[in-house]
Amino acid sequence: MYLPDSVVAGRVGVPVLTGMTTTGDDSRVTPAAHAVDLGKTYGAASAAVRALDGISVAFSRGRFTAVMGPSGSGKSTLMHCMAGLDRPTSGHSFIGGRDIGSLDDAGLTRLRRDSIGFVFQSFNLVPTLTAAENITLPADLAGRKVDRAWLAYLLDQLGIGERLAHRPSELSGGQQQRVACARALVNKPELIFADEPTGNLDSNASAGLLDFLRRSVTELGQSIVMVTHDPRSAAYADRVVFLSDGTVAGEIDHPTADSVLERMRTLGA
């Protein structure tokens, strides 16, 4: 498998994205993201809803972690607070070693632009831009030149090189989501947050997308946190963290669809 020189770094035989930190002792590596006693309450007084109830969790670098739980368990709220898309009511959230609660709005914008990639269920592509323009948008907004070797690699792996002149309305759902993946990775972020990325895709498109995410972790050392309700999607991950009523309710390493489904049954999902 071809890897541009710009994405090869770190230990021999273990290609990683430029800027990521690796070491032979995983315990010495700062997590890609972690939360400490994270709380989020919506509303007040008798109408208050505690969406996150003191969650502490860490997401390792170079691993694919799925977050699952029943509807209303706090999955998306956790992702939004840890990614700086929403402010928690209490506790702390870190990207690498940076406490994002200490950042002002401009600092959060820079963090999301430079260090985090997002893939959403609804794609969130700009309808008036072509696929190529959507992909390079984060770099354009940051005033950066796109690494052409890295971009060519992404386009080849995602199979969208022939669709770059098309606007989102001219692309299938699977193609739109692959464009969104390329956009998420174009700036070589430290971490990818994916919120139900296969929710609007058919089974074939879902499998293709999940296979690409899996390979981006295994072959490039990317760090991914994916919120999903689907045990088959979670089985692509290295680890599954389960939430229930705004708290961590357990986890599974090396998940299978059956092991995830069984654990979800115990949570009443």
Side-chain angles (χ1 to χ4, degrees), residues 118-177:
F118 297 98
V119 184
F120 298 101
Q121 178 178 345
S122 57
F123 316 140
N124 286 1
L125 301 178
V126 180
T128 57
L129 299 182
T130 65
E133 291 166 340
N134 269 286
I135 291 169
T136 61
L137 185 60
D140 294 338
L141 292 174
R144 294 178 178 172
K145 291 183 178 180
V146 173
D147 183 330
R148 293 297 169 182
W150 173 239
L151 177 59
Y153 170 77
L154 290 176
L155 298 177
D156 178 64
Q157 293 301 304
L158 288 163
I160 52 176
E162 297 181 356
R163 309 294 292 175
L164 296 180
H166 294 74
R167 288 183 169 79
S169 62
E170 301 170 311
L171 303 173
S172 69
Q175 289 167 339
Q176 289 185 64
Q177 194 59 297

Side-chain angles (χ1 to χ4, degrees), residues 1 12 50 60-61 76 80 87 91 110 115-116 132 150 171 187 210 214-215 224 255 258 266:
M1 178 179 179
V12 174
R50 184 79 166 163
S60 299
R61 293 180 185 271
S76 291
H80 291 164
R87 295 275 189 180
R110 287 191 297 271
S115 301
I116 303 173
W150 173 239
L171 303 173
N187 276 348
L210 291 164
R214 176 69 264 171
R215 286 185 287 112
I224 295 177
D258 288 341
T266 69

Side-chain angles (χ1 to χ4, degrees), residues 134-241:
N134 269 286
I135 291 169
T136 61
L137 185 60
D140 294 338
L141 292 174
R144 294 178 178 172
K145 291 183 178 180
V146 173
D147 183 330
R148 293 297 169 182
W150 173 239
L151 177 59
Y153 170 77
L154 290 176
L155 298 177
D156 178 64
Q157 293 301 304
L158 288 163
I160 52 176
E162 297 181 356
R163 309 294 292 175
L164 296 180
H166 294 74
R167 288 183 169 79
S169 62
E170 301 170 311
L171 303 173
S172 69
Q175 289 167 339
Q176 289 185 64
Q177 194 59 297
R178 280 179 278 163
V179 169
C181 274
R183 180 184 61 189
L185 282 161
V186 73
N187 276 348
K188 304 176 191 173
E190 296 177 34
L191 179 64
I192 297 290
F193 282 109
D195 193 0
E196 298 281 5
T198 62
N200 286 331
L201 305 182
D202 61 32
S203 57
N204 288 333
S206 294
L209 176 68
L210 291 164
D211 181 64
F212 171 75
L213 294 177
R214 176 69 264 171
R215 286 185 287 112
S216 73
V217 172
T218 303
E219 299 174 7
L220 301 176
Q222 182 64 62
S223 307
I224 295 177
V225 177
M226 176 180 72
V227 170
T228 183
H229 69 280
D230 181 14
R232 292 169 297 181
S233 298
Y236 282 81
D238 299 302
R239 169 186 177 226
V240 181
V241 174

Side-chain angles (χ1 to χ4, degrees), residues 29-39 51-61 63-68 73-83 90-96 98 100 191 193 224-227 239-244 246-253:
V29 180
T30 302
H34 69 284
V36 179
D37 200 24
L38 203 63
L52 300 179
D53 193 10
I55 286 181
S56 294
V57 65
F59 300 115
S60 299
R61 293 180 185 271
R63 296 194 78 194
F64 189 168
T65 305
V67 178
M68 299 192 73
S73 60
K75 302 185 298 296
S76 291
T77 302
L78 175 64
M79 192 199 81
H80 291 164
C81 287
M82 293 194 71
S90 59
H92 300 272
S93 180
F94 298 82
I95 298 296
R98 289 159 293 181
I100 67 175
L191 179 64
F193 282 109
I224 295 177
V225 177
M226 176 180 72
V227 170
R239 169 186 177 226
V240 181
V241 174
F242 296 91
L243 302 187
S244 180
T247 63
V248 175
E251 62 179 75
I252 294 176
D253 285 321

